[in-house]
Amino acid sequence: MFYFFKKGDEFLRCELRPRDSGACDLFIVEPGREERIERFKTSALAEQRWEELRIRFNVDGWAGPFGRE
């Protein structure tokens, strides 16, 4: 699942990618920065981190998330 945030003319992208093992990777691309990957042993841990990031992005003035599969 892809999530996008918008601030002015800039976009920020997050992607949650489940793995067959039950683990999950969170890919984050912020403007002007290299893509980073956070890896989690369970999808529940990834969802928890996603919620933390969503709140932080909104506090920082990013509109969204706008989801897309």
Side-chain angles (χ1 to χ4, degrees):
M1 179 70 149
F2 288 94
Y3 297 96
F4 295 92
F5 293 82
K6 182 175 178 16
K7 185 187 329 181
D9 291 335
E10 296 185 306
F11 288 90
L12 183 154
R13 178 179 56 87
C14 295
E15 179 186 359
L16 284 169
R17 259 189 228 169
R19 290 190 270 152
D20 292 337
S21 65
C24 193
D25 296 330
L26 175 60
F27 294 78
I28 304 160
V29 181
E30 296 181 72
R33 299 181 78 183
E34 299 228 358
E35 178 179 68
R36 71 179 191 267
I37 304 169
E38 297 183 14
R39 300 186 190 282
F40 301 91
K41 291 183 180 182
T42 68
S43 60
L45 290 172
E47 290 288 338
Q48 181 180 349
R49 175 65 173 144
W50 159 243
E51 185 62 18
E52 292 169 1
L53 287 171
R54 184 196 63 76
I55 291 168
R56 189 193 96 201
F57 295 149
N58 289 152
V59 167
D60 290 346
W62 291 93
F66 308 103
R68 189 178 128 217
E69 287 189 31

